[in-house]
Amino acid sequence: QKEVEQNSGPLSVPEGAIASLNCTYSDRVSQSFFWYRQYSGKSPELIMSIYSNGDKEDGRFTAQLNKASQYVSLLIRDSQPSDSATYLCAVANFNKFYFGSGTKLNVKP
Amino acid sequence: ETGVTQSPTHLIKTRGQQVTLRCSSQSGHNTVSWYQQALGQGPQFIFQYYREEENGRGNFPPRFSGLQFPNYSSELNVNALELDDSALYLCASSFRTSGSLAYEQFFGPGTRLTVL
């Protein structure tokens, strides 16, 4: 079993819609959770971090964490074509970081 | 504020050779982590350096080794290169204190290594 699981996609949404990206993790003692965006040929770019159960909002992005279900999600409101990228979920346990394989998002104009 | 930088950008080596990749951490950061990213996969954690010591390691063999210098820059060394070592190698820096459980990492542009 992989430490972090993501649906590889592609997830296609029309411009202006809400994109919902999901991630599950296996290690119950994981403490920190992150979402990164990676454009083709580029390095990952941090979008958000979340450490406590519940929702955290930053602009058009909302991260949701449910430690009991070992589940993290990212909502992107008012999706734009420039949001088209691969979204990576990362889970940290003190000094080890685990990434999922990423979900490819396509936002269609 | 200077971001994370890596050198070289691209590198071509042959099987059995050794390679050294370099990373300069972002200003104010004291921790460096190294990752290997194969095509179509997420980054795989190699190890982390904090206070010039290895502080956490993923499932990589001992031929992957590293250093962190007093200015917090870091090197990744890979000996006896194999074809499967071809990948994008990413360095990420962060600021953490001893015992901190939560710290964000910021990635450099990466080094593309090709092993022939």
Side-chain angles (χ1 to χ4, degrees), chain A residues 2-3 31-32 34 36 38 42-46 48-49 51 56 88 92 94-102, chain B residues 35 37 40-45 48 55-57 88 90 96 99-110:
Chain A
K2 290 185 178 180
E3 288 86 0
Q31 299 134 349
S32 309
F34 308 89
Y36 285 83
Q38 187 171 29
K42 301 293 186 181
S43 61
E45 170 192 9
L46 180 66
M48 290 190 70
S49 57
Y51 308 115
K56 179 180 178 183
L88 298 164
F94 190 47
N95 57 2
K96 290 187 179 181
F97 283 72
Y98 300 98
F99 280 79
S101 295
Chain B
Y35 294 85
Q37 187 175 25
Q41 300 297 315
Q44 297 297 306
F45 177 68
Q48 181 182 94
N55 182 245
R57 188 179 183 96
L88 179 67
L90 295 160
R96 57 170 287 204
S100 62
L101 302 179
Y103 47 95
E104 297 176 339
Q105 296 188 104
F106 298 89
F107 283 87

Coordinates of all heavy atoms in Angstrom, one line a residue, chain A residues 2-3 31-32 34 36 38 42-46 48-49 51 56 88 92 94-102, chain B residues 35 37 40-45 48 55-57 88 90 96 99-110:
Chain A
K2 N 0.6 2.2 -0.9 CA 1.3 3.4 -1.0 C 0.9 4.3 0.2 O -0.2 4.3 0.7 CB 1.0 4.1 -2.3 CG 1.6 3.5 -3.5 CD 1.3 4.3 -4.7 CE 1.9 3.7 -6.0 NZ 1.6 4.5 -7.2
E3 N 1.9 5.1 0.6 CA 1.7 6.0 1.8 C 0.6 7.1 1.4 O -0.2 7.5 2.3 CB 3.0 6.7 2.2 CG 4.0 5.8 2.9 CD 4.9 5.1 1.9 OE1 4.7 5.2 0.7 OE2 5.7 4.3 2.4
Q31 N 1.4 14.2 10.5 CA 1.1 15.5 11.2 C 0.8 16.7 10.3 O 0.1 17.6 10.8 CB 2.3 15.8 12.1 CG 2.6 14.7 13.1 CD 4.1 14.4 13.2 OE1 4.9 14.8 12.3 NE2 4.5 13.6 14.2
S32 N 1.4 16.7 9.1 CA 1.3 17.8 8.3 C 0.9 17.4 6.9 O 1.4 16.4 6.4 CB 2.7 18.6 8.3 OG 3.2 18.8 9.6
F34 N 0.1 18.9 2.8 CA 0.4 19.9 1.8 C -0.2 19.6 0.5 O -0.3 18.5 0.1 CB 1.9 20.1 1.7 CG 2.6 20.3 3.0 CD1 3.1 19.1 3.7 CD2 2.8 21.5 3.6 CE1 3.7 19.3 4.9 CE2 3.5 21.6 4.8 CZ 3.9 20.5 5.4
Y36 N 0.6 20.8 -3.5 CA 1.5 21.4 -4.4 C 0.9 21.4 -5.8 O 0.2 20.4 -6.2 CB 2.9 20.7 -4.5 CG 3.7 20.9 -3.3 CD1 3.6 20.2 -2.1 CD2 4.8 21.9 -3.3 CE1 4.4 20.4 -1.0 CE2 5.6 22.1 -2.2 CZ 5.4 21.4 -1.1 OH 6.2 21.6 0.0
Q38 N 2.1 21.4 -9.9 CA 3.3 21.2 -10.8 C 2.9 21.3 -12.2 O 2.1 20.5 -12.7 CB 3.9 19.9 -10.5 CG 5.3 19.7 -11.2 CD 6.0 18.4 -10.8 OE1 5.4 17.4 -10.4 NE2 7.3 18.5 -10.9
K42 N 8.1 21.7 -14.9 CA 8.5 22.6 -13.8 C 8.6 21.9 -12.5 O 8.1 20.7 -12.4 CB 7.5 23.8 -13.7 CG 7.4 24.6 -15.0 CD 8.7 25.4 -15.2 CE 8.5 26.3 -16.4 NZ 9.8 27.0 -16.7
S43 N 9.1 22.5 -11.4 CA 9.1 21.9 -10.1 C 7.8 22.2 -9.4 O 7.1 23.1 -9.7 CB 10.3 22.4 -9.3 OG 10.2 23.8 -9.2
P44 N 7.5 21.4 -8.3 CA 6.3 21.7 -7.5 C 6.3 23.0 -6.8 O 7.3 23.5 -6.3 CB 6.3 20.5 -6.5 CG 7.2 19.5 -7.1 CD 8.2 20.2 -7.9
E45 N 5.1 23.6 -6.8 CA 4.9 24.9 -6.2 C 3.9 24.8 -5.1 O 2.8 24.2 -5.3 CB 4.4 25.9 -7.2 CG 3.9 27.2 -6.8 CD 3.2 28.0 -7.9 OE1 2.9 27.4 -8.9 OE2 2.8 29.1 -7.7
L46 N 4.3 25.2 -3.9 CA 3.4 25.0 -2.7 C 2.1 25.9 -2.9 O 2.2 27.1 -3.1 CB 4.1 25.4 -1.4 CG 3.3 25.3 -0.1 CD1 3.0 23.9 0.2 CD2 4.1 25.9 1.0
M48 N -0.9 25.2 -0.5 CA -1.4 25.3 0.8 C -0.9 24.2 1.8 O -0.5 23.2 1.3 CB -3.0 25.2 0.8 CG -3.7 26.3 0.2 SD -5.5 26.1 0.4 CE -5.5 26.5 2.2
S49 N -0.9 24.6 3.0 CA -0.5 23.6 4.1 C -1.7 23.5 5.0 O -2.4 24.5 5.2 CB 0.7 24.0 4.8 OG 0.6 25.3 5.4
Y51 N -2.8 21.6 9.0 CA -2.3 20.8 10.0 C -3.4 20.3 11.0 O -3.1 19.3 11.8 CB -1.3 21.6 10.8 CG -0.2 22.2 10.0 CD1 -0.1 23.6 9.9 CD2 0.7 21.4 9.3 CE1 0.9 24.2 9.1 CE2 1.7 22.0 8.5 CZ 1.8 23.4 8.4 OH 2.7 24.0 7.6
K56 N -9.4 25.0 5.5 CA -8.5 26.2 5.5 C -8.7 26.8 4.1 O -8.5 26.1 3.1 CB -7.1 25.8 5.8 CG -6.1 26.9 5.7 CD -4.7 26.5 6.0 CE -3.7 27.6 6.0 NZ -2.3 27.1 6.1
L88 N -0.3 17.7 -6.5 CA 0.4 16.7 -5.7 C 0.0 16.9 -4.3 O 0.1 18.0 -3.7 CB 1.9 16.9 -5.8 CG 2.5 16.6 -7.2 CD1 4.0 17.2 -7.2 CD2 2.5 15.2 -7.5
A92 N 3.4 14.6 5.7 CA 4.7 14.6 6.5 C 4.5 14.0 7.8 O 3.5 14.2 8.5 CB 5.2 16.0 6.6
F94 N 6.9 14.2 10.8 CA 8.0 14.8 11.4 C 9.1 15.1 10.3 O 9.2 16.2 9.8 CB 8.6 13.9 12.5 CG 9.7 14.6 13.3 CD1 9.5 15.9 13.7 CD2 10.9 13.9 13.6 CE1 10.5 16.5 14.4 CE2 11.9 14.6 14.3 CZ 11.7 15.9 14.7
N95 N 10.0 14.1 10.0 CA 11.1 14.5 9.1 C 11.1 13.6 7.8 O 12.1 13.5 7.1 CB 12.4 14.3 9.8 CG 12.6 13.0 10.4 OD1 11.8 12.1 10.2 ND2 13.8 12.8 11.0
K96 N 9.9 13.0 7.5 CA 9.8 12.3 6.3 C 8.6 12.8 5.5 O 7.5 12.9 6.1 CB 9.7 10.8 6.5 CG 10.9 10.1 7.0 CD 10.8 8.6 7.1 CE 12.1 8.0 7.6 NZ 12.0 6.5 7.7
F97 N 8.7 13.0 4.3 CA 7.7 13.5 3.4 C 7.3 12.5 2.4 O 8.2 11.9 1.7 CB 8.1 14.8 2.7 CG 8.1 16.0 3.6 CD1 9.0 16.2 4.6 CD2 7.1 17.0 3.5 CE1 9.0 17.3 5.4 CE2 7.1 18.1 4.3 CZ 8.0 18.2 5.3
Y98 N 6.0 12.3 2.2 CA 5.5 11.3 1.2 C 4.6 12.1 0.2 O 3.7 12.8 0.7 CB 4.8 10.2 1.8 CG 5.7 9.4 2.8 CD1 5.6 9.6 4.1 CD2 6.6 8.4 2.3 CE1 6.4 8.9 5.0 CE2 7.4 7.7 3.2 CZ 7.3 8.0 4.5 OH 8.1 7.3 5.4
F99 N 4.8 11.9 -1.1 CA 4.0 12.5 -2.1 C 3.2 11.5 -2.8 O 3.6 10.3 -3.0 CB 4.9 13.2 -3.1 CG 5.4 14.6 -2.7 CD1 6.4 14.7 -1.9 CD2 4.8 15.7 -3.2 CE1 6.9 15.9 -1.5 CE2 5.2 17.0 -2.8 CZ 6.3 17.1 -2.0
G100 N 2.0 11.9 -3.2 CA 1.2 11.0 -4.1 C 1.7 11.2 -5.5 O 2.6 12.0 -5.8
S101 N 1.2 10.4 -6.4 CA 1.6 10.5 -7.8 C 1.0 11.7 -8.6 O 1.4 12.0 -9.7 CB 1.2 9.2 -8.6 OG 2.0 8.1 -8.0
G102 N 0.0 12.3 -7.9 CA -0.6 13.5 -8.5 C -1.9 13.3 -9.3 O -2.1 12.2 -9.8
Chain B
Y35 N 14.7 15.0 -3.3 CA 13.7 14.1 -3.8 C 14.1 13.6 -5.2 O 14.8 14.4 -6.0 CB 12.4 14.8 -4.0 CG 11.8 15.2 -2.6 CD1 12.1 16.4 -2.0 CD2 10.8 14.4 -2.0 CE1 11.6 16.7 -0.8 CE2 10.2 14.7 -0.8 CZ 10.6 15.9 -0.2 OH 10.0 16.2 1.0
Q37 N 12.3 12.4 -8.7 CA 11.0 12.4 -9.4 C 11.1 11.7 -10.8 O 11.7 12.3 -11.7 CB 10.3 13.7 -9.5 CG 8.9 13.7 -10.1 CD 8.2 15.0 -10.1 OE1 8.8 16.1 -10.1 NE2 6.8 15.0 -10.0
G40 N 6.1 11.1 -14.7 CA 4.7 10.6 -14.4 C 4.5 10.2 -12.9 O 3.4 9.8 -12.6
Q41 N 5.5 10.4 -12.1 CA 5.4 10.0 -10.7 C 5.5 11.2 -9.8 O 6.0 12.3 -10.2 CB 6.4 9.0 -10.3 CG 6.4 7.7 -11.1 CD 5.1 7.0 -10.9 OE1 4.6 6.8 -9.7 NE2 4.5 6.5 -11.9
G42 N 5.1 11.1 -8.5 CA 5.3 12.1 -7.6 C 6.8 12.1 -7.0 O 7.5 11.1 -7.2
P43 N 7.3 13.1 -6.4 CA 8.6 13.1 -5.9 C 8.7 12.0 -4.8 O 7.8 11.8 -4.0 CB 8.7 14.5 -5.2 CG 7.7 15.4 -6.0 CD 6.6 14.4 -6.3
Q44 N 9.9 11.3 -4.8 CA 10.2 10.3 -3.8 C 11.2 10.9 -2.8 O 12.3 11.3 -3.3 CB 10.6 9.0 -4.4 CG 9.6 8.4 -5.4 CD 8.4 7.9 -4.6 OE1 8.5 7.2 -3.6 NE2 7.2 8.4 -5.0
F45 N 10.9 10.9 -1.5 CA 11.8 11.4 -0.5 C 13.1 10.6 -0.4 O 13.1 9.4 -0.2 CB 11.1 11.4 0.8 CG 11.9 11.9 2.0 CD1 12.3 13.2 2.1 CD2 12.3 11.0 3.0 CE1 13.0 13.7 3.2 CE2 13.0 11.5 4.1 CZ 13.4 12.8 4.2
Q48 N 16.8 14.1 4.3 CA 16.7 15.4 4.7 C 18.0 15.7 5.5 O 18.5 14.9 6.3 CB 15.5 15.7 5.6 CG 15.3 17.1 6.1 CD 14.1 17.3 7.0 OE1 14.2 17.2 8.2 NE2 13.0 17.5 6.4
N55 N 18.8 13.7 8.7 CA 17.8 13.6 9.6 C 16.5 13.1 9.0 O 15.6 13.9 8.7 CB 17.6 15.1 10.2 CG 16.5 15.2 11.2 OD1 15.5 15.8 11.1 ND2 16.8 14.5 12.4
G56 N 16.5 11.9 8.7 CA 15.4 11.3 8.0 C 15.8 10.8 6.6 O 16.5 11.5 5.9
R57 N 15.4 9.6 6.3 CA 15.8 9.0 5.0 C 14.7 8.1 4.4 O 14.0 7.4 5.2 CB 17.1 8.1 5.2 CG 17.7 7.6 3.9 CD 18.9 6.8 4.1 NE 19.6 6.4 2.9 CZ 20.6 7.0 2.3 NH1 21.1 8.1 2.8 NH2 21.1 6.6 1.1
L88 N 14.3 13.5 -12.5 CA 14.5 14.8 -12.1 C 14.8 14.8 -10.6 O 14.0 14.2 -9.8 CB 13.2 15.6 -12.3 CG 13.2 17.1 -11.9 CD1 14.1 17.9 -12.7 CD2 11.8 17.7 -12.0
L90 N 15.1 16.9 -7.2 CA 14.6 18.1 -6.6 C 15.2 18.3 -5.2 O 15.3 17.4 -4.4 CB 13.1 18.1 -6.6 CG 12.3 18.0 -7.9 CD1 10.9 17.5 -7.7 CD2 12.3 19.4 -8.5
R96 N 13.0 25.0 10.0 CA 12.4 24.3 11.1 C 13.3 24.4 12.4 O 14.5 24.8 12.3 CB 12.3 22.8 10.8 CG 13.6 22.1 10.4 CD 13.5 20.6 10.3 NE 13.3 20.0 11.6 CZ 13.6 18.7 11.9 NH1 14.1 17.9 11.0 NH2 13.5 18.2 13.1
G99 N 12.4 19.7 16.9 CA 11.1 19.2 17.5 C 9.9 19.7 16.7 O 8.8 19.3 17.0
S100 N 10.1 20.6 15.8 CA 8.9 21.2 15.1 C 8.3 20.1 14.2 O 9.1 19.3 13.6 CB 9.3 22.4 14.2 OG 10.3 22.0 13.2
L101 N 7.0 20.1 14.2 CA 6.3 19.0 13.4 C 5.8 19.5 12.1 O 5.3 18.7 11.3 CB 5.2 18.5 14.3 CG 5.5 17.9 15.7 CD1 4.3 17.5 16.4 CD2 6.5 16.8 15.5
A102 N 5.7 20.8 11.9 CA 5.1 21.3 10.7 C 6.0 22.4 10.1 O 6.3 23.4 10.8 CB 3.7 21.9 11.1
Y103 N 6.4 22.2 8.9 CA 7.2 23.2 8.2 C 7.0 23.0 6.7 O 7.0 21.9 6.2 CB 8.7 23.1 8.6 CG 9.2 21.8 8.6 CD1 9.9 21.3 7.5 CD2 9.1 20.9 9.7 CE1 10.5 20.0 7.5 CE2 9.7 19.7 9.7 CZ 10.3 19.2 8.6 OH 10.9 17.9 8.6
E104 N 6.8 24.1 6.0 CA 6.6 24.1 4.6 C 7.9 24.0 3.9 O 8.9 24.6 4.3 CB 5.8 25.4 4.2 CG 4.5 25.5 4.8 CD 3.7 26.8 4.5 OE1 4.4 27.7 4.1 OE2 2.5 26.8 4.6
Q105 N 7.9 23.3 2.8 CA 9.1 23.1 1.9 C 8.9 23.8 0.6 O 7.8 23.8 0.0 CB 9.3 21.7 1.7 CG 9.7 20.9 2.9 CD 10.1 19.5 2.5 OE1 11.3 19.1 2.5 NE2 9.2 18.6 2.1
F106 N 9.9 24.4 0.1 CA 9.9 25.1 -1.2 C 10.9 24.5 -2.1 O 12.1 24.4 -1.7 CB 10.1 26.6 -0.9 CG 9.1 27.3 -0.1 CD1 9.2 27.3 1.3 CD2 7.9 27.8 -0.6 CE1 8.2 27.8 2.1 CE2 6.9 28.4 0.2 CZ 7.1 28.4 1.6
F107 N 10.5 24.2 -3.3 CA 11.4 23.5 -4.2 C 12.2 24.4 -5.1 O 11.8 25.5 -5.5 CB 10.5 22.6 -5.1 CG 10.0 21.3 -4.4 CD1 8.9 21.3 -3.7 CD2 10.8 20.2 -4.4 CE1 8.4 20.2 -3.0 CE2 10.3 19.0 -3.8 CZ 9.2 19.0 -3.1
G108 N 13.4 23.9 -5.4 CA 14.2 24.4 -6.5 C 13.7 24.0 -7.8 O 12.8 23.1 -7.9
P109 N 14.4 24.4 -8.9 CA 13.9 24.1 -10.3 C 14.3 22.6 -10.7 O 13.8 22.1 -11.7 CB 14.7 25.1 -11.2 CG 15.9 25.5 -10.4 CD 15.4 25.4 -8.9
G110 N 15.2 22.0 -9.9 CA 15.5 20.6 -10.2 C 16.7 20.5 -11.2 O 17.1 21.4 -11.9

